Amino acid sequence: MDRSPHADTAHPTLYLHRWRAWLPERAGEEMPAWVMTDEKPAANSVPALLRRRLTPLGRAVCTLLGDMGAHERAGTPVLHASRHGDGHRPLDMLDTLFEGEPLSPARFGLSVHNAVLGVYSIAFDNHASMAALAAAGEEFEALLSEARGYLCDGCDSVMLVLTDSPVPARYRIPDQAPQRPSAMLMELSRANAPDALCLEANPVDMPETSTPIVTPPRLTDWLMGRCELITRAPPLCWQVTSES
Amino acid sequence: MANTELTELERDVANMIIEALELEDITADDIEPDAPLFGDGLGLDSIDALELGLALQKRYGIRLDSDAEENREHFASLRQLSALVAERRSD
């Protein structure tokens, strides 16, 4: 695959306008105001009849998308990537089928990968382009690729949603599936703005297999200056080169 | 505030609705027995109708034909649904 001739591919630069996170595993720690740690977000911005069907992860994503005003900027695509989706919900249905019991229609309807964005779209009457991705551990990289496609196509900004969720123990691969659910939202563009952070990437020489999976807690730690961020395919080291 | 209009069966059916549909911040006493369950009343939707069909089967042993015309009447209100349960329960 040709990865070198296009400077933007080898050294991509993006601008981060805002970010929000939901990290219940960090409850009690000192975190920025825009990091939620509630076990079950109230999600008051979502009508009760829609909210009742959401897991805490779904409630968090809808709350944070609402906070970021994604619905107020027509034409801003919303892209959601998650390795395990809503975790227990689809896999628990396999147990129900095994036991010969009928499936809950509501839970079945919300077991698809784009269910959370679907509920968000209805709740906030947001008809922008939306997509749900899974990429076997390279979800953040997939989000960046998709986002840059939309930006190259002329979109002013793109809303990224990265989430993950625990799965039942028997499906869990040690060191890969998380113990707690989490979410990270970022609004990215190719245009600078007074409050934006400039994110620059440079190629780095390291085996892709030794690169940690980019998760919402890791992204948060990186933006708080606590760790480095390396994405795969190809390996790129990302730096925050300006601050508001 | 207790809704004294509910019979014991209506209260039981109301609790089934709340539990099966995961209704938040609603108790049996908040459901008006003659108010519509769908649309303008409690605001339930078509997926809730399927979920209620499943709950009736599990709790009272009542199997409804999903195409039956009279389902609309059975699901019209808590009182109507309770009448169906009283007539056809096999639990």
Side-chain angles (χ1 to χ4, degrees):
Chain A
M1 194 166 89
D2 185 5
R3 285 172 174 158
S4 59
H6 197 283
D8 185 49
T9 301
H11 304 274
T13 298
L14 292 164
Y15 292 92
L16 173 62
H17 294 265
R18 279 172 295 179
W19 64 278
R20 299 278 188 282
W22 176 62
L23 304 175
E25 68 191 53
R26 302 287 175 87
E29 292 181 29
E30 194 169 328
M31 301 297 288
W34 51 92
V35 176
M36 283 198 311
T37 57
D38 330 34
E39 199 70 37
K40 185 179 180 184
N44 291 326
S45 53
V46 180
L49 283 171
L50 289 171
R51 188 174 61 220
R52 68 194 158 111
R53 291 181 179 150
L54 293 171
T55 60
L57 175 65
R59 287 168 166 253
V61 169
C62 289
T63 299
L64 295 177
L65 279 170
D67 282 357
M68 293 178 80
H71 55 294
E72 293 161 0
R73 289 190 295 290
T76 296
V78 183
L79 309 174
H80 179 197
S82 176
R83 185 170 192 181
H84 300 101
D86 239 345
H88 272 267
R89 184 169 262 171
L91 293 168
D92 285 347
M93 289 195 306
L94 295 178
D95 292 344
T96 308
L97 287 173
F98 178 74
E99 289 158 8
E101 294 292 323
L103 293 177
S104 155
R107 295 201 170 207
F108 179 77
L110 286 174
S111 65
V112 292
H113 214 58
N114 59 358
V116 172
L117 285 190
V119 172
Y120 160 77
S121 167
I122 296 168
F124 288 85
D125 198 25
N126 186 344
H127 299 190
S129 292
M130 297 185 194
L133 314 169
E138 294 184 354
E139 278 67 30
F140 186 63
E141 289 84 344
L143 274 180
L144 290 178
S145 294
E146 195 77 2
R148 290 168 67 199
Y150 275 102
L151 295 172
C152 285
D153 264 359
C155 288
D156 291 334
S157 64
V158 179
M159 196 71 69
L160 305 189
V161 182
L162 178 69
T163 72
D164 211 354
S165 188
V167 294
R170 63 188 173 284
Y171 297 106
R172 194 173 294 153
I173 300 170
D175 303 326
Q176 289 194 18
Q179 301 290 324
R180 303 289 298 276
S182 59
M184 159 63 103
L185 284 76
M186 306 169 88
E187 185 185 355
L188 294 179
S189 82
R190 294 204 299 178
N192 202 354
D195 293 332
L197 301 179
C198 179
L199 312 181
E200 286 184 346
N202 287 294
V204 59
D205 186 20
M206 69 181 296
E208 296 190 6
T209 49
S210 66
T211 309
I213 292 173
V214 181
T215 60
R218 188 165 183 87
L219 268 182
T220 303
D221 284 340
W222 173 60
L223 287 169
M224 293 173 69
R226 294 174 173 175
C227 68
E228 63 177 4
L229 180 71
I230 296 175
T231 53
R232 306 178 188 185
L236 293 172
C237 182
W238 290 80
Q239 308 282 343
V240 179
T241 58
S242 64
E243 295 193 21
S244 55
Chain B
M1 194 171 73
N3 186 337
T4 51
E5 292 180 35
L6 294 187
T7 65
E8 190 178 337
L9 177 60
E10 285 168 349
R11 186 173 299 279
D12 197 47
V13 173
N15 284 328
M16 176 200 74
I17 294 172
I18 291 166
E19 190 181 316
L21 307 185
E22 301 180 78
L23 299 179
E24 295 182 344
D25 305 325
I26 289 181
T27 68
D29 294 321
D30 296 324
I31 302 179
E32 290 292 328
D34 289 311
L37 292 175
F38 294 83
D40 293 338
L42 204 52
L44 306 182
D45 60 26
S46 56
I47 294 180
D48 291 318
L50 295 171
E51 201 72 44
L52 277 183
L54 182 62
L56 285 169
Q57 184 182 326
K58 281 184 172 175
R59 186 127 161 188
Y60 300 110
I62 297 172
R63 285 179 180 271
L64 294 174
D65 179 351
S66 59
D67 296 328
E69 278 293 319
E70 63 264 27
N71 286 351
R72 186 179 292 271
E73 290 173 31
H74 296 323
F75 285 173
S77 66
L78 173 60
R79 189 151 283 162
Q80 300 272 91
L81 198 57
S82 302
L84 170 78
V85 171
E87 183 188 326
R88 292 177 49 182
R89 67 188 301 171
S90 63
D91 55 322

